[in-house]
Amino acid sequence: MEMLIESLINQFSLKNLRKFFEEKLRIELKEEEDVLPREDYEEYFGKLYVLKPYGKENIKLKDDTIAIYAIESKKELSERSSKKRQFGLATELIDHKKGRLEDGGFFVFYDKKGNFRFSFVHKIYEGAKHKFSHYKRYTYFVQKGKPYRTFKKALLELQLDSIESITEAFAVQPLIKEFYKEIQNWYAWALKDDRVWFPGGTKEENLIRLITRLIFVWFLKEMKLVPEEIFDEERLKDIV
């Protein structure tokens, strides 16, 4: 499974996407081309595919029904590009065909460079009506060739039993807790290790200052507010 996920990240293709879901669902899937629900989407999106079991319109879990869509983006994708438009298309795809009646779906938007956004959108029922999960809730942007630890972890832990199990795997809160736990462990290690030292001030204050500055710099990097080159180890060897 880890190799399948690596292939999906580094060499995105419909074939690799299908193989991943086939492994998770333990069924064979086929790629069937579909049409966009409205003509005005054609400015932004190209081909639309549905991954479905042979002879069936959708995928049945224990108590839920889901679909898997792969949508080509006509423009290059980025972390911040077109999230709401993609979410709007996702909700329409779940709702616009009466014969399917999906409770949710995976939506993978991809561009020609191999970048993609992997999202899960599901209905939240309120009596006879329903609304949708928030567009920022269960989504990952993946840029080709970059390591994505949290995304890999989510896919590895993903169990396609129910919508509840899917949202648990994609939940952000446990990942945030794990992130801060690792920082806490590193801080405790560095505090005790004599090889870690600073020219002035207390070790505790300097370590906290170092951690907060590193997190801030990494945030700047992820938001593309500083050049990517300054994080290239080989290029830094010529400078530092």
Side-chain angles (χ1 to χ4, degrees):
M1 180 53 68
E2 288 189 38
M3 290 181 65
L4 272 176
I5 295 172
E6 289 287 348
S7 297
L8 190 63
I9 291 173
N10 296 316
Q11 296 180 327
F12 179 85
S13 67
L14 290 176
K15 182 180 178 181
N16 286 336
L17 183 66
R18 176 173 52 79
K19 282 183 176 180
F20 167 76
F21 278 110
E22 284 180 333
E23 186 71 22
K24 283 289 183 179
L25 289 163
R26 299 294 180 183
I27 58 174
E28 286 191 46
L29 300 171
K30 63 177 179 177
E31 301 153 15
E32 187 174 290
E33 192 168 347
D34 207 335
V35 294
L36 294 166
R38 288 192 282 114
E39 289 184 1
D40 54 337
Y41 280 123
E42 294 176 2
E43 180 183 349
Y44 308 100
F45 306 112
K47 291 186 177 181
L48 164 67
Y49 296 93
V50 187
L51 303 185
K52 59 173 65 174
Y54 287 88
K56 297 180 181 179
E57 281 297 311
N58 42 37
I59 298 163
K60 182 69 177 175
L61 307 181
K62 285 180 180 177
D63 300 311
D64 307 304
T65 302
I66 64 167
I68 303 169
Y69 293 90
I71 305 105
E72 179 188 32
S73 174
K74 289 185 175 180
K75 299 179 180 179
E76 184 177 343
L77 295 174
S78 68
E79 172 62 45
R80 291 182 287 177
S81 66
S82 305
K83 282 184 182 179
K84 286 191 176 181
R85 187 177 294 113
Q86 292 166 13
F87 178 76
L89 175 56
T91 58
E92 287 194 47
L93 286 172
I94 294 176
D95 268 350
H96 91 292
K97 291 194 175 178
K98 294 180 181 179
R100 288 187 177 156
L101 301 174
E102 288 105 356
D103 299 299
F106 288 96
F107 299 87
V108 184
F109 294 87
Y110 63 94
D111 63 22
K112 292 180 180 179
K113 290 192 173 183
N115 308 317
F116 62 95
R117 174 169 282 112
F118 193 105
S119 302
F120 182 71
V121 178
H122 69 94
K123 294 176 180 177
I124 301 171
Y125 293 99
E126 299 175 337
K129 298 181 180 181
H130 67 264
K131 60 182 181 179
F132 291 95
S133 54
H134 195 273
Y135 76 98
K136 291 183 179 180
R137 191 74 188 273
Y138 310 109
T139 184
Y140 291 88
F141 172 70
V142 179
Q143 189 172 352
K144 184 178 179 179
K146 290 192 174 183
Y148 287 90
R149 184 180 174 192
T150 54
F151 178 62
K152 290 177 187 176
K153 180 178 173 63
L155 292 194
L156 279 171
E157 295 181 354
L158 178 63
Q159 298 295 322
L160 295 179
D161 299 325
S162 64
I163 284 179
E164 184 180 1
S165 65
I166 294 170
T167 55
E168 282 178 4
F170 276 25
V172 175
Q173 197 63 32
L175 295 174
I176 293 173
K177 288 182 179 178
E178 182 182 350
F179 172 72
Y180 283 110
K181 184 178 179 181
E182 289 190 7
I183 290 178
Q184 186 178 15
N185 290 341
W186 184 87
Y187 172 82
W189 166 82
L191 196 62
K192 294 178 181 178
D193 198 302
D194 293 334
R195 293 172 297 176
V196 179
W197 63 276
F198 298 89
T202 67
K203 194 172 185 179
E204 291 87 346
E205 289 176 346
N206 282 311
L207 280 172
I208 292 171
R209 189 177 294 118
L210 174 64
I211 290 170
T212 55
R213 288 179 178 177
L214 285 173
I215 292 173
F216 178 66
V217 170
W218 190 259
F219 168 78
L220 294 178
K221 172 186 178 294
E222 290 299 294
M223 296 298 291
K224 299 188 184 300
L225 297 174
V226 293
E228 191 79 23
E229 291 78 13
I230 68 172
F231 298 93
D232 187 323
E233 188 174 345
E234 292 303 315
R235 300 191 79 168
L236 284 175
K237 286 179 181 177
D238 298 329
I239 303 172
V240 180

Coordinates of all heavy atoms in Angstrom, one line a residue, residues 71-100:
I71 N -11.3 14.6 -11.8 CA -11.6 15.7 -12.7 C -10.4 16.5 -13.1 O -9.6 16.9 -12.3 CB -12.6 16.7 -12.0 CG1 -13.8 16.0 -11.5 CG2 -12.9 17.9 -12.9 CD1 -13.8 15.8 -10.0
E72 N -10.2 16.6 -14.4 CA -9.0 17.3 -15.0 C -9.2 18.8 -14.8 O -10.3 19.4 -15.2 CB -8.9 16.9 -16.4 CG -7.7 17.6 -17.1 CD -7.7 17.4 -18.6 OE1 -8.7 17.2 -19.2 OE2 -6.6 17.3 -19.2
S73 N -8.2 19.5 -14.3 CA -8.2 21.0 -14.2 C -7.5 21.5 -15.5 O -6.4 21.1 -15.8 CB -7.5 21.4 -13.0 OG -7.4 22.8 -13.0
K74 N -8.1 22.5 -16.1 CA -7.5 23.1 -17.3 C -6.4 24.1 -16.9 O -5.5 24.4 -17.7 CB -8.6 23.9 -18.1 CG -9.5 22.9 -18.8 CD -10.5 23.7 -19.7 CE -11.4 22.8 -20.5 NZ -12.3 23.5 -21.4
K75 N -6.4 24.5 -15.7 CA -5.3 25.4 -15.2 C -4.5 24.7 -14.2 O -4.9 23.7 -13.5 CB -5.9 26.7 -14.6 CG -6.7 27.5 -15.5 CD -7.3 28.7 -14.9 CE -8.2 29.5 -15.9 NZ -8.8 30.7 -15.2
E76 N -3.2 25.1 -14.0 CA -2.3 24.5 -13.0 C -2.9 24.7 -11.6 O -3.3 25.8 -11.3 CB -0.9 25.1 -13.1 CG 0.1 24.4 -12.2 CD 1.5 25.0 -12.4 OE1 1.8 25.6 -13.4 OE2 2.3 24.8 -11.4
L77 N -2.9 23.7 -10.8 CA -3.4 23.7 -9.5 C -2.3 24.2 -8.5 O -1.2 24.0 -8.7 CB -3.9 22.3 -9.0 CG -5.0 21.7 -9.8 CD1 -5.3 20.3 -9.3 CD2 -6.3 22.5 -9.6
S78 N -2.8 24.9 -7.4 CA -1.9 25.3 -6.3 C -2.7 25.1 -5.0 O -3.9 24.7 -5.0 CB -1.6 26.8 -6.5 OG -2.7 27.6 -6.3
E79 N -2.1 25.3 -3.9 CA -2.7 25.1 -2.6 C -4.0 25.9 -2.5 O -5.0 25.5 -1.9 CB -1.7 25.5 -1.5 CG -2.3 25.5 -0.1 CD -2.8 24.2 0.3 OE1 -2.1 23.2 0.1 OE2 -3.9 24.1 0.9
R80 N -4.0 27.1 -3.0 CA -5.1 28.1 -2.8 C -6.0 28.2 -3.9 O -7.0 28.9 -3.9 CB -4.5 29.4 -2.4 CG -3.9 29.4 -1.0 CD -3.4 30.8 -0.6 NE -2.2 31.2 -1.3 CZ -1.7 32.4 -1.2 NH1 -2.2 33.3 -0.4 NH2 -0.6 32.7 -1.9
S81 N -5.7 27.5 -5.1 CA -6.5 27.8 -6.3 C -7.8 27.1 -6.3 O -7.9 25.9 -6.1 CB -5.7 27.4 -7.5 OG -5.5 26.0 -7.6
S82 N -8.9 27.8 -6.5 CA -10.2 27.3 -6.9 C -10.8 26.3 -5.9 O -11.6 25.4 -6.3 CB -10.1 26.7 -8.3 OG -9.6 27.5 -9.3
K83 N -10.5 26.4 -4.7 CA -11.1 25.5 -3.7 C -12.6 25.5 -3.7 O -13.3 24.5 -3.7 CB -10.6 25.8 -2.3 CG -9.2 25.3 -2.0 CD -8.9 25.5 -0.5 CE -7.4 25.1 -0.2 NZ -7.1 25.4 1.2
K84 N -13.2 26.7 -3.7 CA -14.7 26.8 -3.6 C -15.3 26.4 -4.9 O -16.4 25.7 -4.9 CB -15.1 28.3 -3.3 CG -14.8 28.7 -1.9 CD -15.5 30.0 -1.5 CE -15.3 30.3 0.0 NZ -16.0 31.6 0.3
R85 N -14.7 26.6 -6.0 CA -15.3 26.2 -7.3 C -15.2 24.7 -7.4 O -16.2 24.0 -7.8 CB -14.5 26.8 -8.5 CG -15.1 26.5 -9.8 CD -14.4 27.2 -11.0 NE -14.5 28.6 -10.9 CZ -13.5 29.4 -10.6 NH1 -12.3 29.0 -10.4 NH2 -13.7 30.7 -10.6
Q86 N -14.1 24.1 -6.9 CA -14.0 22.6 -6.9 C -15.1 22.0 -6.0 O -15.7 21.0 -6.3 CB -12.6 22.2 -6.5 CG -11.6 22.6 -7.6 CD -10.2 22.5 -7.1 OE1 -9.9 21.9 -6.0 NE2 -9.2 23.0 -7.8
F87 N -15.3 22.6 -4.8 CA -16.2 22.2 -3.9 C -17.6 22.3 -4.5 O -18.5 21.4 -4.3 CB -16.1 23.0 -2.6 CG -17.2 22.6 -1.5 CD1 -17.0 21.5 -0.8 CD2 -18.3 23.5 -1.3 CE1 -18.0 21.2 0.2 CE2 -19.2 23.2 -0.3 CZ -19.1 22.0 0.4
G88 N -17.9 23.4 -5.2 CA -19.2 23.6 -5.8 C -19.5 22.5 -6.8 O -20.6 21.9 -6.8
L89 N -18.5 22.1 -7.6 CA -18.7 21.0 -8.6 C -18.9 19.7 -7.8 O -19.8 18.9 -8.2 CB -17.4 20.9 -9.5 CG -17.4 19.8 -10.5 CD1 -18.6 19.8 -11.4 CD2 -16.1 19.8 -11.3
A90 N -18.2 19.5 -6.8 CA -18.3 18.2 -6.0 C -19.7 18.1 -5.5 O -20.3 17.0 -5.6 CB -17.3 18.2 -4.9
T91 N -20.3 19.1 -4.9 CA -21.7 19.0 -4.3 C -22.7 18.8 -5.4 O -23.7 18.1 -5.3 CB -22.0 20.3 -3.5 OG1 -21.9 21.4 -4.4 CG2 -21.1 20.4 -2.3
E92 N -22.5 19.4 -6.6 CA -23.4 19.2 -7.7 C -23.3 17.8 -8.2 O -24.4 17.2 -8.6 CB -23.2 20.2 -8.8 CG -23.6 21.6 -8.4 CD -23.7 22.6 -9.7 OE1 -24.2 22.1 -10.7 OE2 -23.2 23.7 -9.6
L93 N -22.1 17.3 -8.3 CA -22.0 15.9 -8.8 C -22.7 14.9 -7.9 O -23.3 13.9 -8.3 CB -20.5 15.5 -9.0 CG -19.8 16.2 -10.1 CD1 -18.3 15.9 -10.1 CD2 -20.4 15.7 -11.5
I94 N -22.6 15.1 -6.6 CA -23.3 14.2 -5.7 C -24.8 14.3 -5.8 O -25.6 13.3 -5.8 CB -23.0 14.6 -4.2 CG1 -21.5 14.3 -3.9 CG2 -23.8 13.7 -3.2 CD1 -21.0 14.6 -2.5
D95 N -25.3 15.5 -6.1 CA -26.8 15.8 -6.1 C -27.5 15.7 -7.5 O -28.7 15.4 -7.5 CB -27.0 17.2 -5.5 CG -27.3 17.1 -4.0 OD1 -27.4 16.0 -3.5 OD2 -27.3 18.2 -3.4
H96 N -26.7 15.9 -8.6 CA -27.5 16.2 -9.8 C -28.0 14.9 -10.5 O -28.9 15.1 -11.4 CB -26.6 17.0 -10.8 CG -25.8 16.2 -11.7 ND1 -24.7 15.4 -11.3 CD2 -25.9 16.1 -13.1 CE1 -24.2 14.8 -12.4 NE2 -24.9 15.2 -13.4
K97 N -27.6 13.7 -10.2 CA -28.1 12.6 -10.8 C -28.9 11.8 -9.9 O -28.4 11.2 -8.9 CB -26.9 11.7 -11.4 CG -26.2 12.4 -12.6 CD -25.4 11.5 -13.3 CE -24.8 12.2 -14.6 NZ -23.9 11.3 -15.3
K98 N -30.2 11.7 -10.1 CA -31.2 11.1 -9.1 C -30.9 9.6 -9.0 O -31.2 9.1 -7.9 CB -32.6 11.4 -9.6 CG -33.0 12.9 -9.6 CD -34.4 13.1 -10.0 CE -34.8 14.6 -10.0 NZ -36.1 14.8 -10.5
G99 N -30.4 9.0 -10.0 CA -30.3 7.5 -9.9 C -29.1 7.1 -9.0 O -29.1 5.9 -8.6
R100 N -28.3 8.0 -8.6 CA -27.1 7.6 -7.8 C -27.3 7.7 -6.3 O -27.0 6.8 -5.5 CB -25.9 8.4 -8.2 CG -25.4 8.0 -9.6 CD -24.1 8.7 -9.9 NE -23.6 8.2 -11.2 CZ -22.8 8.9 -12.0 NH1 -22.3 10.1 -11.6 NH2 -22.3 8.4 -13.1

